[in-house]
Amino acid sequence: MDETPDEPGCYPGGVGRRPLMVGAALATSSLLQPDAAAQGVAAGRVAVRLTVNGAARQLTLDPRASLLDTLREGLALTGAKKGCDHGQCGACTVHLDGRRVASCLTLAVQADGRAVTTIEGIAPADGELHPMQQAFIDHDALQCGYCTPGQIMAAIALVREGHADSAEEIREYMSGNLCRCGAYAGILAAIQDAAPRMRAG
């Protein structure tokens, strides 16, 4: 049987990337419908109440929607990044009731009635930066910056968890957050600098 090779940019079988990506985008948009709870819950959707960065939010969601997609696509909070989408890179780290979670692996319905904090919500109201944010700047703990929000959220949680007593401990408890630029030395220095200021505060 005479077979022609797949066209460039196509998956085996001749299915192009573009139709798949467009289909994925449409599927994602259909999972999220913010602030529609007052209109009643549509068939197959669930009402979810979240406190996000101190603000109460009511959403009507597909029960399959991840917390990451809900934050980014439904609430326009794009600080949490979609890196691997498999819980392996840490770019999507947020706090759920004060504990760090990979928001790409957390269903939004799991956060019903709970408090979510993203990178947009950690700075004090007076406009100053959080000590960890300032330390990341002071120690040049970033390059491209894509992973930085997740790094900062994980670092804040690490200090609160009491795991910032040594460089080895910090490296161990930050190992779930990857920096493809390799800014690890600066990240370590930033955490060591910010930890005592966070404890004092």
Side-chain angles (χ1 to χ4, degrees), residues 27-87:
T28 298
S29 65
S30 71
L31 295 178
L32 308 170
Q33 187 178 347
D35 299 323
Q39 302 171 8
V41 179
R45 293 181 176 266
V46 294
V48 177
R49 296 172 183 266
L50 309 172
T51 301
V52 182
N53 298 329
R57 304 301 300 263
Q58 295 185 20
L59 306 172
T60 302
L61 305 173
D62 185 299
R64 299 166 295 174
S66 70
L67 180 57
L68 175 61
D69 285 338
T70 301
L71 293 170
R72 290 182 58 82
E73 308 297 333
L75 299 177
L77 294 170
T78 56
K81 304 302 184 194
K82 183 171 281 197
C84 66
D85 215 20
H86 292 288

Side-chain angles (χ1 to χ4, degrees), residues 100 155-166 169 173 199:
R100 55 177 154 170
I156 291 170
L158 174 147
V159 174
R160 290 176 178 167
E161 292 162 6
H163 297 304
D165 293 329
S166 68
E169 190 175 35
Y173 282 89
R199 294 183 188 121

